[in-house]
Amino acid sequence: ADRLDAGANWRVLAKISDQNSRAAAMTSSVFLPLLAAGRTAQNTPVARMITAESETWSPAKWREIDRATRAEEEARQARARRGLPPLPMTPTHTVRCGSRDCRPGEGNLKHAMDKHGKFKQWEQPYEHREGFVQSRLRSPPHRPRPNVEYAGLVALAARLAPRGGPVLLAAADWDYRELALNWYLHARRLGYRGALVLSMERALHELLLRRGVPSFDGGALLAAWNRTCLQRHIQAVRMERHLAAAALVEAGHDVLLTDATAVFLKDFLPRLVGAPAELDVLLQRDDWPRTGLGTAVNAGFVFLRGSAGAGRSQLVLRLVDDAVRRGLIEFYLRWNNIPDQYGYSHEIAHTALDVGGGTSELANETTVGSLRPKRCAEGRGRCLRVGLLPHAEFPRHGDWRALAPTALVYHLTNNNADGCPLARR
């Protein structure tokens, strides 16, 4: 498959088409990279992976990659000397565990746990092959074209939310099936008819349809991310959902993209749709990554305005594209699952707030500003207008017992979840 082992002795460029493999699924023309000989500073030969990306590397970059490749081989030998089995070459994801369906959360390769029972997020349960990862595509594998790749999604949204009505979108895979159902039940309880799930696997898509949940099968679109530098299934899921949201924006819809873990408690959607017409995007505050703006933004709760005309929506589409591309070059791709949040937060950090003095994650007003005003002035065009939502109504962190009276949405993490609301089925 196209997750080629960089240590293999490949001499020719090969072409594969394997629709049954997660590694190459739905990519009708996948080319294996060419491997050439290189040497480390110790004059030890190593295999070099030649791709369109790696052909742009400088001699210094090649030396860096060669050193990493040699270190990876030494780590493999060290494990063997300790009697440990080799690490998997790639992170795995499956919907079948033996002869049965995987339980929620069971289908992904897991991190080891520390003595406190928490996953060691900064250690990997699979090999990180620096040369392989850096030789991969560092741009989106396709464009968010509403009449091409996303025509089916746009048609479904038009049926649920006619005349450009607001669309609520959550992405999920088989592991998240219970959360996706809970998300949808809360949306329907509030009367939100434009809610649909972007299913990243056919198994989930078929399950949701049987349960009466509107779903679009995005498995083929997700598989295209195998050509990129993203290694983990969840990384690709998180990025693909933003392209899907962008396609809906270009089709003329206002879009609220949220995590499937978000729980809608009170009728908040009119607050977003009815926000001042000048605002193009509204975002939930978060604490990471830290930027000079004073707050990060959460990539799992993003409102994008697509109903204000083509000129305005193009600014929104540019933001999404910039955020996705920024996430694809993020240094921390090796260790975490949130490239989209890094991309969004670092892009939104270029917002000039209308009121000086900065802001914070815990600010309780809608903070407004213009994105990259210098670039707007140089192009003599309109700036994209950003709104940061109030913490008390859209919290990401804090004590839920204190936040419950004012919160419109439950979307906490790393906190005491006592009283976390669940929908009745």
Side-chain angles (χ1 to χ4, degrees):
D2 77 330
R3 302 287 194 188
L4 179 64
D5 179 5
N9 188 28
W10 289 85
R11 297 299 180 192
V12 297
L13 194 64
K15 179 178 179 180
I16 64 171
S17 178
D18 178 3
Q19 299 299 326
N20 296 318
S21 169
R22 162 66 178 90
M26 309 308 292
T27 48
S28 58
S29 296
V30 181
F31 290 89
L32 297 180
L34 189 66
L35 285 143
R39 290 182 179 274
T40 63
Q42 292 75 30
N43 208 34
T44 305
V46 295
R48 282 181 170 181
M49 185 168 289
I50 308 301
T51 66
E53 180 72 26
S54 67
E55 284 183 330
T56 67
W57 293 349
S58 66
K61 179 71 171 181
W62 273 117
R63 289 193 293 272
E64 172 193 332
I65 297 299
D66 289 344
R67 286 194 297 270
T69 302
R70 185 68 250 169
E72 291 155 10
E73 178 57 30
E74 291 170 355
R76 293 187 196 105
Q77 295 173 4
R79 285 185 64 87
R81 288 193 296 270
R82 293 163 59 194
L84 298 174
L87 287 172
M89 298 304 288
T90 59
T92 56
H93 172 80
T94 182
V95 301
R96 296 288 293 174
C97 293
S99 61
R100 59 173 176 78
D101 292 339
C102 294
R103 294 183 291 271
E106 188 181 10
N108 287 309
L109 187 66
K110 301 293 189 297
H111 294 273
M113 283 190 171
D114 62 18
K115 62 182 181 180
H116 304 293
K118 294 183 178 181
F119 287 112
K120 296 180 179 180
Q121 296 292 335
W122 294 93
E123 294 185 8
Q124 291 183 158
Y126 62 94
E127 282 203 10
H128 178 84
R129 292 164 292 154
E130 193 71 21
F132 174 80
V133 172
Q134 293 208 32
S135 70
R136 309 294 281 171
L137 187 67
R138 288 182 175 267
S139 59
H142 46 253
R143 291 164 51 200
R145 295 178 291 191
N147 297 321
V148 185
E149 294 89 349
Y150 297 91
L153 175 66
V154 170
L156 175 59
R159 292 196 299 272
L160 297 171
R163 297 181 297 280
V167 174
L168 287 78
L169 181 68
D173 63 9
W174 184 248
D175 276 345
Y176 274 62
R177 58 192 181 273
E178 299 292 337
L179 291 167
L181 180 60
N182 189 61
W183 176 89
Y184 179 74
L185 289 172
H186 275 83
R188 285 307 305 266
R189 183 175 63 86
L190 292 173
Y192 299 162
R193 298 187 176 276
L196 66 97
V197 176
L198 179 63
S199 295
M200 296 303 189
E201 287 158 335
R202 178 164 291 276
L204 175 63
H205 175 63
E206 294 175 347
L207 172 67
L208 293 178
L209 291 183
R210 290 196 300 270
R211 298 297 298 268
V213 178
S215 167
F216 175 73
D217 184 356
L221 295 166
L222 179 67
W225 288 86
N226 289 329
R227 296 156 43 206
T228 73
C229 60
L230 301 181
Q231 293 293 281
R232 301 180 186 180
H233 173 81
I234 192 172
Q235 291 176 329
V237 168
R238 290 183 66 105
M239 290 299 228
E240 172 56 31
R241 61 181 179 168
H242 294 286
L243 297 191
L248 292 170
V249 167
E250 189 158 5
H253 290 278
D254 293 340
V255 180
L256 175 63
L257 173 66
T258 84
D259 291 331
T261 53
V263 181
F264 307 144
L265 303 176
K266 303 169 187 176
D267 186 16
F268 69 92
L269 192 57
R271 287 281 307 278
L272 305 183
V273 176
E278 63 160 336
L279 295 180
D280 301 297
V281 298
L282 291 161
L283 304 112
Q284 184 183 33
R285 302 166 189 262
D286 209 332
D287 68 343
W288 187 262
R290 296 186 179 92
T291 70
L293 187 63
T295 182
V297 296
N298 187 269
F301 198 94
V302 180
F303 180 76
L304 307 171
R305 199 182 297 279
S307 62
R312 296 266 301 274
S313 65
Q314 288 303 309
L315 294 174
V316 175
L317 294 173
R318 181 171 183 175
L319 168 65
V320 176
D321 184 66
D322 287 346
V324 169
R325 290 177 183 275
R326 176 62 178 80
L328 282 166
I329 63 170
E330 175 54 48
F331 170 77
Y332 287 101
L333 285 176
R334 176 172 179 172
W335 294 289
N336 70 39
N337 296 327
I338 56 170
D340 55 340
Q341 182 142 331
Y342 277 90
Y344 256 100
S345 292
H346 286 304
E347 283 301 312
I348 295 299
H350 294 285
T351 300
L353 302 178
D354 290 355
V355 178
T359 187
S360 73
E361 182 197 355
L362 304 182
N364 281 324
E365 77 278 346
T366 300
T367 308
V368 176
S370 296
L371 183 65
R372 296 185 182 271
K374 183 178 180 181
R375 186 170 70 181
C376 302
E378 291 172 349
R380 297 184 179 180
R382 180 185 180 278
C383 287
L384 181 135
R385 296 285 285 166
V386 175
L388 303 172
L389 294 166
H391 167 263
E393 296 176 354
F394 299 91
R396 183 61 172 158
H397 297 94
D399 184 340
W400 179 246
R401 292 165 296 185
L403 292 166
T406 58
L408 304 178
V409 173
Y410 181 93
H411 192 212
L412 297 190
T413 184
N414 297 331
N415 293 96
N416 183 352
D418 289 345
C420 172
L422 295 172
R424 294 182 178 179
R425 300 192 184 162

